[in-house]
């Protein structure tokens, strides 16, 4: 494929390296991202006013793309505050406390439940469903909130989404790019998904246990109990009504799951259903618990939830704005200034890489992995799957075999990187619902995911 790289591509690549370096040294990247957006816009348009406007437009674009996630997380938090203040939360989690009695059990149970639900409905709505019920249980069992977020990320946005065996959105995009049937990609991905999943989750678990033992990570159990004691007012609801709502809340979310299956709701539609249900629960609890104060309390809970949501998402918007330039966001934010043959900055860089490396099994597997990493940097995981399929076809045909395996490897890499495990602006849902810094979560996931990718790539070489 003939790809023309311009100065815009090289500036974008240089700022990717800068952003990664800043993250490694635990420095904030907002200034770097805004500078990158401005310089890319100035280089593309040659206009100072257009470049300044592009910075603002990039923020609008990022907020628009993230708004549904911001809202559903904010609403879940609003609902959670009403549950805690009325004491319903305690009644809900009591049965689970008998099952989840240790941090280790909390990690694996939350992970497996997240995996199962994510296979059917994708991870974003699964995070909201699981976080609302099992997060307090895990915290009381002694698993730090960061550990809960890690479990939800690796099992949901990692294992479930990278395989995507039920909905098959990811393998369909990758297979179309490679020009092979979806079934071949699905079959080829099974051993790679298993290897990647086992290595990353076990590695992350070992590191969590090590850091908890050293005191680097501490349990929030006492803080949660203290917060609950401050909030809980036993006079708001009787024991009967607390038990009634404790039964009703999971039933309503279970009905959401049934509705997702019956009406084939996925992605944004599924997330919207969860968010709407959380609003309904909030209204019911507020009306029952606060009675004459219900109107004011409803507004108070929503404000608190929205404040939390935008506080968590605020630092992420600039960096998301920068990386959206790598894909379809460029034309919307800056304009049609890329070459006519361009498939987006990120895809152009990935395709160019495939053109300059020699062809062999080892290089083919490594290039598929690197291509997946690069295309995953936009925080989507899905935008570069077609390109990854094309790269796999190029190497597969050159070495005479392994198109499906290379396609599956590129798919797995792109999803693990960009789908929500090590790119901070992609793992916001789990970070927000657990009230942890997305950059801390990304750093926590980085080593297990890198180790997993290296081992999975080696296994792929032997499978070619």
């Amino acid at each position: 494929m003939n790809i023309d790289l311009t100065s815009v591509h090289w500036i974008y690549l240089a700022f990717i390296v800068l952003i990664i370096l800043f993250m490694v040294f635990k420095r904030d990247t907002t200034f770097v991202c805004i500078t990158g957006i401005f310089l890319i816009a100035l280089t593309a348009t040659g206009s100072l006013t257009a470049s300044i406007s592009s910075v603002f437009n990039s923020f609008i674009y990022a907020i628009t793309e993230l708004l549904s996630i911001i809202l559903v997380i904010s609403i879940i938090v609003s609902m959670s505050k009403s549950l805690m203040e009325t004491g319903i939360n305690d009644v809900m989690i009591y049965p689970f406390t008998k099952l989840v009695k240790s941090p280790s059990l909390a990690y694996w149970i939350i992970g497996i439940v997240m995996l199962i639900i994510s296979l059917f409905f994708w991870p974003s709505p699964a995070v909201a469903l699981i976080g609302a019920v099992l997060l307090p249980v895990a915290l009381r069992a002694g698993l730090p909130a960061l550990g809960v977020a890690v479990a939800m990320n690796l099992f949901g946005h990692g294992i479930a989404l990278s395989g995507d065996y039920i909905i098959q959105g990811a393998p369909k995009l990758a297979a179309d790019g490679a020009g092979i049937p979806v079934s071949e990609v699905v079959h080829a991905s099974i051993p790679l998904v298993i290897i990647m999943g086992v290595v990353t989750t076990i590695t992350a678990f070992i590191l969590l246990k090590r850091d908890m033992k050293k005191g680097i990570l501490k349990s929030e159990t006492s803080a949660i109990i203290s917060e609950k004691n401050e909030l809980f007012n036993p006079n708001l609801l009787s024991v009967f009504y607390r038990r009634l709502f404790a039964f009703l809340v999971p039933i309503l979310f279970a009905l959401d799951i049934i509705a997702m299956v019956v009406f084939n709701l996925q992605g944004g539609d599924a997330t919207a259903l969860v968010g709407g249900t959380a609003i309904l629960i909030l209204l019911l609890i507020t009306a029952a618990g606060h009675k004459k104060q219900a109107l004011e309390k409803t507004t108070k809970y929503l404000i608190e939830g929205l404040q939390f949501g935008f506080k968590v998402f605020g630092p992420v918007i600039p960096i998301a704005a920068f990386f959206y330039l790598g894909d379809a966001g460029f034309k919307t934010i800056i304009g049609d200034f890329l070459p006519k043959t361009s498939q987006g900055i990120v895809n152009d860089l990935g395709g160019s890489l495939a053109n300059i490396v020699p062809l062999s099994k080892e290089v083919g597997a490594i290039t598929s992995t690197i291509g997946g990493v690069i295309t995953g940097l936009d925080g989507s995981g899905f935008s570069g799957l077609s390109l990854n399929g094309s790269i796999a076809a190029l190497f597969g045909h050159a070495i005479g075999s392994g198109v499906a395996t290379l396609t599956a490897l590129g798919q797995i890499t792109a999803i693990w990187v960009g789908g929500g495990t090590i790119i901070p602006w992609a793992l916001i849902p789990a970070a927000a619902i657990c009230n942890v810094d997305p950059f801390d979560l990304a750093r926590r996931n980085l080593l297990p995911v890198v180790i997993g990718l290296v081992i999975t790539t080696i296994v792929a070489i032997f499978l070619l």
Side-chain angles (χ1 to χ4, degrees):
M1 56 184 79
N2 185 22
I3 298 172
D4 297 322
L5 296 183
T6 66
S7 54
V8 168
H9 290 83
W10 295 115
I11 293 172
Y12 186 84
L13 181 60
F15 271 90
I16 287 178
V17 175
L18 271 178
I19 290 168
I20 293 172
L21 286 174
F22 270 66
M23 287 181 179
V24 169
F25 290 103
K26 299 184 178 181
R27 301 301 302 272
D28 194 88
T29 59
T30 297
F31 184 89
V32 181
C33 292
I34 294 173
T35 304
I37 294 167
F38 175 78
L39 289 178
I40 289 170
L42 184 63
T43 304
T45 64
S47 169
L48 181 61
T49 55
S51 303
I52 295 172
S53 299
S54 293
V55 173
F56 183 73
N57 289 334
S58 69
F59 277 43
I60 294 176
Y61 186 90
I63 291 172
T64 302
E65 291 294 311
L66 295 172
L67 188 57
S68 63
I69 299 175
I70 295 174
L71 282 177
V72 76
I73 295 299
S74 299
I75 290 165
I76 288 290
V77 170
S78 299
M79 181 197 71
S80 298
K81 286 188 176 292
S82 72
L83 291 173
M84 292 182 69
E85 192 165 334
T86 54
I88 297 169
N89 191 60
D90 257 7
V91 181
M92 281 178 57
I93 67 176
Y94 179 74
F96 292 100
T97 59
K98 294 184 177 180
L99 177 64
V100 182
K101 293 186 176 180
S102 69
S104 299
L105 278 174
Y107 176 88
W108 293 108
I109 289 175
I110 285 178
I112 292 169
V113 172
M114 182 73 183
L115 170 62
I116 294 170
I117 295 178
S118 297
L119 280 172
F120 288 91
F121 312 116
W122 281 7
S124 292
V127 164
L129 286 167
I130 292 172
V133 178
L134 293 185
L135 174 61
V137 179
L139 295 179
R140 287 177 182 271
L143 182 64
L146 192 58
V148 179
V150 167
M152 290 199 289
N153 266 164
L154 299 185
F155 282 89
H157 292 87
I159 300 173
L161 194 59
S162 67
D164 197 11
Y165 295 121
I166 306 299
I167 300 171
Q168 296 191 356
K172 176 70 166 61
L173 289 171
D176 287 349
I180 59 177
V182 176
S183 58
E184 291 188 17
V185 177
V186 169
H187 180 75
S189 71
I190 292 173
L192 301 181
V193 168
I194 292 173
I195 292 294
M196 184 69 186
V198 169
V199 171
T200 52
T201 55
I202 291 177
T203 303
F205 177 72
I206 292 171
L207 294 176
L208 278 170
K209 293 288 286 184
R210 181 200 67 183
D211 290 346
M212 289 175 66
K213 187 176 181 180
K214 290 182 177 180
I216 298 173
L217 278 178
K218 296 181 180 179
S219 169
E220 293 93 342
T221 303
S222 58
I224 292 296
I225 294 173
S226 173
E227 182 182 3
K228 182 264 170 189
N229 287 337
E230 286 183 18
L231 287 175
F232 175 40
N233 183 350
N235 297 320
L236 291 178
L237 284 175
S238 66
V239 174
F240 170 78
Y241 279 107
R242 290 203 296 271
R243 289 176 178 173
L244 176 63
F245 277 109
F247 174 77
L248 182 62
V249 170
I251 289 296
L252 288 175
F253 281 125
L255 290 174
D256 279 354
I257 295 176
I258 294 171
M260 290 175 196
V261 174
V262 173
F263 300 108
N264 194 29
L265 300 178
Q266 301 169 6
D269 292 334
T271 301
L273 181 62
V274 171
T277 302
I279 293 175
L280 174 62
I281 293 170
L282 171 64
L283 294 178
L284 291 173
I285 292 173
T286 307
H290 297 283
K291 299 178 179 64
K292 292 181 180 180
Q293 297 293 320
L295 298 179
E296 291 76 15
K297 283 291 186 177
T298 299
T299 303
K300 173 180 174 288
Y301 288 137
L302 286 174
I303 290 173
E304 288 177 350
L306 288 167
Q307 285 175 335
F308 172 85
F310 279 94
K311 181 180 179 181
V312 170
F313 282 78
V316 180
I317 289 172
I319 195 168
F322 174 83
F323 279 91
Y324 280 133
L325 289 179
D327 193 35
F330 188 94
K331 188 173 182 179
T332 303
I333 296 168
I334 297 177
D336 194 7
F337 292 98
L338 292 175
K340 297 298 181 184
T341 57
S342 175
Q343 298 180 30
I345 296 176
V346 168
N347 286 348
D348 292 347
L349 290 170
S352 179
L353 174 66
N355 284 342
I356 61 176
V357 295
L359 302 178
S360 69
K361 287 198 305 184
E362 293 77 13
V363 172
I366 293 170
T367 305
S368 291
T369 298
I370 294 174
V373 170
I374 292 175
T375 57
L377 288 174
D378 66 350
S380 162
F382 280 75
S383 62
L385 289 180
S386 296
L387 172 66
N388 293 331
S390 299
I391 294 173
L394 172 68
F395 280 97
H397 293 310
I399 62 179
S401 65
V403 174
T405 298
L406 290 173
T407 302
L409 179 61
Q411 168 190 312
I412 291 166
T413 304
I415 297 295
W416 272 89
V417 172
T421 63
I422 61 173
I423 300 299
W425 47 100
L427 45 73
I428 294 172
I433 206 74
C434 295
N435 195 17
V436 298
D437 188 328
F439 294 92
D440 287 343
L441 178 55
R443 283 189 285 267
R444 170 63 53 176
N445 288 340
L446 181 60
L447 184 58
V449 173
V450 169
I451 292 173
L453 288 175
V454 170
I455 294 176
T456 304
T457 302
I458 294 172
V459 171
I461 292 172
F462 286 99
L463 294 175
L464 289 174

